[in-house]
């Protein structure tokens, strides 16, 4: 009878607990909305309509969700290996540099070859930027939490240097590259689906969304169905048992970090190749950090990550619309709501698990 | 041992406690007469610890009454238990190793904001207690520097200092050498002679017979029997615990030692801090023989297993398999497994299993690259389940549910999972650490029979166990380890407990 965390059935663990925490977070956020003199029900309705009320709204929501799927999966994969990768921002930055260099330098190649190569370059950039902290942890014991944060700063200054000094567009006042050739960018969804007779409004949603869905399946296959994933999960759940089983802890640490970084690179694919069509400063815009919350809410499972990414997509898109309709509710308010959700779903998770367990009559009396 | 004319020291009436679906205690009643040693035995999960935790205020009972010296009490915390005169000595000591004996004893009952006065009083009281019970100890010694037997003495003094009239000891001899255990029993006698009451929780029937006045047997949350120790026998107790007849002796045909399989020559091991853990180990394991390693925990047994399993690299000496010296590339767990050196680790939950995984997943730990478990780089859940089901049937793992989380199996069944995994691939050498630690009697019998069967099949087995009885019962040869050195070797047939006790205490006898 040890003091182990409360055990719940899978459906309650993956569905009910997040639902309860999100509801509680919305209630608290509602109180804040009341505090600034607005009607929380009206605000919620505006937010939902803004996120899901039209084809255009849904397109934007899914575009945001694409970013969150990539960064959430990145955190989730590392998490299964017992590693906390906080470097999604930096890894995506390097991925953006990789993708931009490929798109600019390999422009003579046909699009069918160029786009996959640029995606690979993005993955390689992200993987390399995560591999170094992984290697440092495996060989020197430097904790990835510290080193990945450091690498975020290095990446942020590196991209400034590159854009200002080396690959920037000489004719522009902005630190950004020139626009990629039209055949080097990803197809927007509304154009991709037009031949099928589907008429969608023009949104930033592009084929990177399909790549995100494929990544969800791929990560599920990797973590839960492959030999490598078994080894990664063993390392994460019990490093001593991993050594006992004859697994190479250092090799697995590096592999898991590389896969994690490559997934974070998906953010650059969506933003740089799918939307901006050029490399510019700060395109990562904090998505890498939100990925931590997405992975935590989603319990590291691809299905959970997809749902959490959708939730944050709704918050981002609906929040933008809400801020537009209700000037007293600023974008910062929306950030507050997101923060409350992260607080409730992440830090206070144990509280709600215990409440849910008590409600279901599971667990033990005090 | 006055006949309890007055009220019993402790009376538990109809104690029930449920954890979710598990009825840990089911209407348990118990009477402990004042001034006696009362043993409580039962298999793992029988509810002994839960009952004692209720008595000590860690859990609240769902139903039932507790009476101390005839007065009904409600114990809601360990503070209230101490106030009621109950003291507990845990299996794992609750001591601050960097503080002195005196500091540890007054920790939490300093008696005021300033230490000095309390310290003086505590010193005087400690001297009185030491004198009264013959518990000699230096109050200024650092606890971390004391041997385990003395640390346990500090725990007992701590309880007495807090005014305990009733002492609960949970598996107190698990960490002691046989002479230290004898000293403890003498101490318990001295305590009861002065009117203290002792409850002894143990699974060692020999100790029950040696030291208790009465014994209560628990099984599956219920009290099965209350017996006067003088009127019972180990075999009868074992039967009451398990609910069926149990073989306490291991039946072992005479040995037929084969050729040497694994050999260590001059092996030494220094840990990361430069402390020598093993030195000059020369050891030969032959096919079809069990070599037992006797020793008090922390004298190099774990390191011996780690070196042989490839988990630690020896700083000197060499290890050979079938007469061939193993190179550095072969001294890792994966390579050694391929060579047929399997390892049942001492701590199954920390090393041998991933308790968060399903039982089926744990059945492939270390063998997940085996082509039988899936196509190419993928694993097939159905094949893994089928494999686990076959293993569970062969090794009587209960419940036979491959999907169940490993943490939910009892200690004995977890051990069977490890055993099944390591044995089924026909090992040539089997390294076994604490095969029956925390395992109930029924499973112990099963595990012992399996090990003997492997010996018959020609496997070379190295057995490390803190249970001297187990080492003596299973081994063909016994080596004693003390301070990382082999201090003696005996043929099991000629070994006796006293002799081995001296060897593992470092008193080197003449070579056998």
């Amino acid at each position: 009878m040890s003091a182990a965390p409360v055990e719940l059935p899978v459906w309650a663990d993956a569905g009910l607990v997040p639902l309860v925490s999100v509801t509680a977070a919305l209630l608290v956020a509602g109180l804040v909305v009341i505090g600034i003199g607005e009607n929380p029900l009206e605000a919620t309705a505006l937010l939902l309509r803004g996120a899901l009320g039209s084809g255009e709204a849904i397109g934007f929501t899914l575009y945001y969700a694409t970013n969150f799927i990539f960064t959430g999966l990145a955190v989730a994969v590392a998490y299964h290996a017992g590693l906390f990768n906080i470097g999604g921002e930096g890894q995506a930055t390097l991925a953006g540099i990789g993708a931009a260099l490929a798109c600019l330098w390999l422009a003579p190649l046909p699009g069918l070859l160029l786009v996959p190569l640029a995606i690979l370059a993005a993955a390689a950039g992200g993987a390399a930027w995560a591999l170094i902290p992984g290697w440092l942890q495996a060989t020197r014991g430097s904790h990835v939490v510290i080193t990945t944060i450091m690498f975020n700063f290095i990446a942020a200054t590196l991209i400034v240097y590159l854009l200002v000094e080396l690959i920037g567009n000489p004719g522009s006042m902005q630190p950004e590259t020139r626009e990629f050739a039209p055949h080097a960018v990803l197809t927007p969804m509304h154009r991709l689906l037009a031949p099928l007779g589907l008429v969608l409004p023009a949104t930033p949603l592009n084929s990177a969304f399909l790549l995100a869905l494929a990544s969800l399946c791929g990560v599920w296959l990797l973590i839960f169905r492959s030999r490598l994933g078994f080894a990664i999960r063993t390392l994460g759940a019990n490093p001593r048992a991993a050594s006992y089983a004859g697994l190479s802890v250092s090799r697995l640490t590096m592999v898991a970090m590389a896969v994690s970084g490559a997934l974070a690179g998906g953010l650059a694919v969506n933003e740089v190749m799918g939307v901006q069509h050029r490399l510019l400063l700060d395109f990562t815009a904090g998505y890498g950090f939100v990925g931590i919350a997405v992975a935590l809410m989603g319990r590291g499972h691809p299905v959970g990550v997809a749902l959490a990414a959708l939730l944050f997509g709704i918050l981002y898109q609906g929040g933008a619309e809400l801020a537009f309709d209700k000037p007293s509710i600023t974008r910062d308010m929306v950030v507050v709501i997101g923060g409350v959700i992260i607080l409730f779903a992440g830090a206070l998770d144990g509280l709600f698990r215990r409440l849910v367990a008590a409600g279901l009559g599971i667990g033990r009396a005090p | 041992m006055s006949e309890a004319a007055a009220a019993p020291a402790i009376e538990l009436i109809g104690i029930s406690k449920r954890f979710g679906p598990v009825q840990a205690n089911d209407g348990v009643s118990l009477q402990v007469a004042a001034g006696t040693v009362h043993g409580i035995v039962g298999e793992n999960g029988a509810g002994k610890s839960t009952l004692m935790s209720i008595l000590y205020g860690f859990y609240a009972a769902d139903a039932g009454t507790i009476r101390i010296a005839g007065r009904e009490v409600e114990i809601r915390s360990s503070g209230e238990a101490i106030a009621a005169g109950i003291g507990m000595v845990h299996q794992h000591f609750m001591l601050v190793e960097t503080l002195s004996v005196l500091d540890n004893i007054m920790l939490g009952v300093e008696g005021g904001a300033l230490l000095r006065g309390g310290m003086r009083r505590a010193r005087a009281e400690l001297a009185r207690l030491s004198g009264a019970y013959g518990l000699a100890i230096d109050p200024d010694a650092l606890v971390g520097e004391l041997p385990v037997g003395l640390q346990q003495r500090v725990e007992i003094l701590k309880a007495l200092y807090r005014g305990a009239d009733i002492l609960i000891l949970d598996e107190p001899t698990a960490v002691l050498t046989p002479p230290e255990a004898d000293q403890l029993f003498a101490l318990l006698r001295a305590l009861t002679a002065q009117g203290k009451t002792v409850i002894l929780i143990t699974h060692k029937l020999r100790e029950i017979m040696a030291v208790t006045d009465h014994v209560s047997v628990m099984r599956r949350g219920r009290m099965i029997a209350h017996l006067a120790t003088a009127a019972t026998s180990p075999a009868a107790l074992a039967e009451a615990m398990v609910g069926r007849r149990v073989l306490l002796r291991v039946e072992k045909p005479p040995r037929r030692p084969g050729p040497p399989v694994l050999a260590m020559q001059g092996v030494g091991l220094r840990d990361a801090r430069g402390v020598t853990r093993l030195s000059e180990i020369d050891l030969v394991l032959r096919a079809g023989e069990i070599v037992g390693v006797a020793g008090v925990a922390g004298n190099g047994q774990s390191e011996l297993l780690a070196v042989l399993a490839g988990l630690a690299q020896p700083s000197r000496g060499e290890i050979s398999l079938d007469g061939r010296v193993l190179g550095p590339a072969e001294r890792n767990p994966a390579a050694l497994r391929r060579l047929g050196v399997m390892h049942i680790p001492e701590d199954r939950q920390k090393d041998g299993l991933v308790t968060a995984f399903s039982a089926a997943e744990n059945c492939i730990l270390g063998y997940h690259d085996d082509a039988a478990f899936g196509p190419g780089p993928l694993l097939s859940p159905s094949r893994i389940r089928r494999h686990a089901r076959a293993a569970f049937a062969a090794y009587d793992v209960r419940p036979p549910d491959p999907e169940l989380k490993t943490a939910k199996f009892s200690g004995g069944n977890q051990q069977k999972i490890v055993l099944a995994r390591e044995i089924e691939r026909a090992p040539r050498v089997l390294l076994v650490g604490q095969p029956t630690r925390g395992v109930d009697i029924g499973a112990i019998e099963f595990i012992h029979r399996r090990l003997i069967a492997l010996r018959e099949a020609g496997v070379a087995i190295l057995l490390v166990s803190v249970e001297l009885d187990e080492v003596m019962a299973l081994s063909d040869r016994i080596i004693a380890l003390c301070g990382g050195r082999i201090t003696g070797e005996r043929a099991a047939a000629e070994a006796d407990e006293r002799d081995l006790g001296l060897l593992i205490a470092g008193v080197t006898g003449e070579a056998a």
Side-chain angles (χ1 to χ4, degrees):
Chain A
M1 301 300 146
S2 59
V6 190
E7 291 276 344
L8 290 173
V10 177
W11 61 269
D13 186 50
L16 196 54
V17 173
L19 199 67
V20 170
S21 33
V22 168
T23 310
L26 287 180
L27 286 178
V28 170
L31 290 178
V32 178
V33 172
I34 291 174
I36 57 173
E38 291 288 346
N39 181 350
L41 290 179
E42 190 193 347
T44 310
L46 277 174
L47 189 144
L48 287 178
R49 202 174 314 133
L52 304 167
S54 66
E56 191 186 10
I58 292 174
F60 270 92
T61 297
L62 290 180
Y63 146 70
Y64 287 120
T66 305
N67 286 338
F68 295 132
I69 288 173
F70 283 124
T71 55
L73 284 177
V75 176
V77 166
Y79 185 75
H80 279 291
L83 300 162
F84 205 18
N85 177 11
I86 309 192
E89 291 277 305
Q91 289 143 24
T93 302
L94 263 284
I97 293 171
L101 293 181
C103 288
L104 293 173
W105 292 351
L106 305 178
L109 292 176
L112 221 53
L113 209 56
L114 177 53
V115 169
L117 278 177
I119 292 175
L120 281 182
W129 211 240
L131 187 64
I132 303 169
W135 173 73
L136 286 171
Q137 166 144 348
T139 58
R140 311 289 313 171
S142 321
H143 206 289
V144 287
V145 167
I146 307 295
T147 46
T148 50
I149 293 175
M150 289 172 164
F151 269 60
N152 285 343
F153 287 99
I154 301 175
T157 39
L158 181 66
I159 192 175
V160 171
Y161 170 74
L162 287 177
L163 286 178
V164 172
E165 303 287 344
L166 293 179
I167 57 173
N169 184 358
S172 165
M173 294 294 286
Q174 301 289 334
E176 61 184 24
T177 62
R178 67 180 200 289
E179 191 162 345
F180 304 154
H183 69 282
V185 300
L186 296 177
T187 321
M189 216 50 139
H190 56 271
R191 229 179 304 139
L192 197 66
L193 296 182
L196 302 175
L198 287 167
V199 182
L200 299 179
T203 63
L205 187 65
N206 60 77
S207 52
F209 179 62
L210 303 177
L211 186 64
L213 295 182
S215 300
L216 285 168
C217 301
V219 166
W220 178 80
L221 210 60
L222 169 72
I223 295 296
F224 296 106
R225 284 290 181 273
S226 80
R227 298 177 199 268
L228 176 62
F230 183 84
I232 286 176
R233 283 188 294 128
T234 302
L235 173 64
N238 187 345
R240 282 181 54 168
S243 301
Y244 160 79
L247 303 173
S248 166
V249 171
S250 53
R251 193 183 71 90
L252 278 176
T253 302
M254 291 193 278
V255 168
M257 282 304 284
V259 173
S260 173
L263 285 163
L267 169 58
V269 173
N270 189 34
E271 285 291 331
V272 175
M273 293 174 65
V275 180
Q276 308 291 349
H277 303 170
R278 62 172 71 86
L279 183 67
L280 69 175
L281 280 187
D282 297 329
F283 71 89
T284 54
Y287 295 116
F289 291 121
V290 179
I292 299 168
V294 170
L296 282 179
M297 266 195 84
R299 306 234 161 277
H301 195 285
V303 174
V305 166
L307 291 175
L310 188 62
L311 174 74
F312 276 92
I314 290 171
L315 273 180
Y316 262 57
Q317 168 57 18
E321 293 291 321
L322 179 61
F324 185 77
D325 285 341
K326 291 253 171 220
S328 60
I329 301 178
T330 60
R331 272 221 83 141
D332 298 330
M333 251 318 286
V334 179
V335 175
V336 168
I337 296 173
V340 171
I341 289 182
I342 293 174
L343 180 72
F344 275 53
L348 300 180
D349 176 71
L351 177 74
F352 291 110
R353 290 171 71 78
R354 223 155 289 150
L355 285 178
V356 168
L360 295 171
I362 300 170
R364 51 183 150 103
Chain B
M1 261 167 290
S2 58
E3 279 315 306
I10 302 171
E11 197 173 7
L12 303 176
I13 304 157
I15 299 284
S16 291
K17 177 72 184 168
R18 173 182 281 279
F19 295 106
V22 181
Q23 186 77 47
N25 281 169
D26 186 1
V28 174
S29 295
L30 174 70
Q31 281 194 5
V32 180
T36 63
V37 180
H38 194 112
I40 298 183
V41 293
E43 296 194 284
N44 272 47
K48 306 175 302 236
S49 302
T50 305
L51 189 66
M52 290 304 115
S53 299
I54 288 169
L55 184 56
Y56 200 60
F58 283 150
Y59 301 134
D62 300 335
T65 315
I66 301 175
R67 290 202 188 121
I68 306 286
R71 200 166 46 82
E72 188 166 328
V73 291
E74 213 170 309
I75 300 173
R76 279 161 304 207
S77 69
S78 52
E80 292 185 358
I82 291 167
I86 301 172
M88 185 145 179
V89 176
H90 297 269
Q91 187 176 0
H92 302 284
F93 302 149
M94 309 282 180
L95 295 170
V96 185
E97 299 207 333
T98 50
L99 293 182
S100 74
V101 171
L102 188 65
D103 293 336
N104 266 286
I105 283 178
M106 55 186 293
L107 194 67
V109 283
E110 293 84 356
L114 291 178
L115 277 180
R116 190 188 265 202
M119 212 117 158
R120 205 172 46 235
R121 282 194 298 279
R123 193 178 286 276
E125 172 67 9
L126 182 59
R128 191 188 69 74
L129 287 172
S130 297
Y133 301 103
L135 282 165
I137 199 155
D138 172 11
D140 298 311
L142 283 186
V143 163
E145 291 171 2
L146 294 177
V148 184
L150 284 182
Q151 292 190 7
Q152 191 172 53
R153 192 170 278 195
V154 176
E155 279 281 22
I156 294 172
L157 277 167
K158 233 168 85 181
L160 293 174
Y161 183 76
R162 284 158 176 73
D165 287 316
I166 298 161
L167 271 180
I168 305 170
L169 289 101
D170 186 5
E171 300 281 0
T173 59
V175 289
L176 303 182
T177 60
E180 284 175 324
D182 289 341
Q183 282 176 19
L184 173 71
F185 295 155
L187 168 63
L188 297 186
R189 284 280 160 217
L191 287 169
T192 49
Q194 306 232 3
K196 304 280 183 194
T197 306
V198 176
I199 297 182
L200 179 67
I201 302 172
T202 182
H203 67 275
K204 295 184 189 170
L205 298 176
R206 202 163 44 83
E207 292 174 1
I208 292 287
M209 300 310 291
V211 74
T212 63
D213 301 303
H214 300 276
V215 54
S216 299
V217 184
M218 291 189 75
R219 187 167 81 222
R220 290 187 191 164
R222 291 168 178 275
M223 238 358 144
I224 296 298
H226 300 285
L227 303 160
T229 308
T232 185
S233 69
L237 285 175
E239 199 177 327
M241 280 164 69
V242 184
R244 63 179 168 84
R245 283 188 63 82
V246 187
L247 273 180
L248 287 181
R249 292 293 315 171
V250 183
E251 290 188 1
K252 188 174 65 172
R255 74 168 184 164
R256 306 180 299 259
V261 181
L262 189 74
M264 305 173 84
Q265 284 112 28
V267 169
L269 174 71
R270 220 171 295 163
D271 68 11
R273 283 184 297 169
V275 180
T276 302
R277 294 293 176 187
L278 289 176
S279 46
E280 289 164 49
I281 302 286
D282 295 312
L283 180 65
V284 176
L285 294 183
R286 293 168 191 280
E289 109 176 307
I290 301 182
V291 175
V293 180
V296 180
N299 276 278
Q301 301 97 314
S302 308
E303 290 79 3
L304 184 65
L305 285 177
V307 164
L308 287 176
L311 288 164
Q313 296 306 320
S315 41
R316 60 188 341 177
E318 47 194 36
I319 301 168
S320 46
L321 190 66
D322 296 323
R324 196 173 56 78
V325 174
L326 294 176
E330 291 168 308
R331 290 199 304 259
N332 69 70
L336 283 166
R337 268 201 190 92
R338 280 193 291 277
L339 293 169
V341 180
M342 312 300 187
H343 177 202
I344 296 171
E346 289 187 281
D347 192 326
R348 59 180 165 269
Q349 299 197 339
K350 283 206 184 112
D351 292 310
L353 294 167
V354 182
T355 50
F357 280 8
S358 74
E361 286 181 305
N362 270 301
C363 284
I364 67 165
L365 185 68
Y367 303 97
H368 66 281
D369 279 333
D370 192 320
F373 295 134
L378 297 183
L379 290 169
S380 151
S382 60
R383 281 191 222 175
I384 293 171
R385 269 198 303 273
R386 211 175 317 135
H387 163 256
R389 258 190 226 110
F392 288 7
Y395 287 81
D396 189 30
V397 175
R398 278 179 262 176
D401 176 4
E403 294 292 324
L404 193 65
K405 219 167 114 175
T406 311
K408 300 204 168 172
F409 284 84
S410 72
N413 284 303
Q414 290 180 353
Q415 188 71 324
K416 284 185 195 168
I417 292 175
V418 177
L419 207 66
R421 185 182 68 208
E422 300 303 319
I423 293 179
E424 69 174 344
R425 268 151 231 271
R428 306 210 47 227
V429 178
L430 188 64
L431 310 168
V432 190
Q434 319 296 353
T436 56
R437 178 188 273 168
V439 167
D440 50 55
I441 288 193
I444 289 176
E445 195 189 357
F446 179 90
I447 291 168
H448 284 175
R449 268 194 276 125
R450 282 284 173 171
L451 291 177
I452 296 292
L454 284 172
R455 164 183 176 269
E456 292 304 296
V459 180
I461 300 176
L462 183 75
L463 168 73
V464 167
S465 173
V466 290
E467 307 279 351
L468 201 50
D469 291 345
E470 181 169 54
V471 171
M472 290 174 65
L474 288 175
S475 308
D476 297 305
R477 272 190 299 140
I478 301 173
I479 60 166
L481 268 188
C482 180
R485 285 172 185 275
I486 296 182
T487 50
E489 180 179 328
R490 298 283 184 268
E494 299 156 16
D496 72 75
E497 199 174 308
R498 184 161 299 276
D499 178 33
L500 283 175
L502 289 175
L503 289 181
I504 68 181
V507 184
T508 318
E510 295 78 39

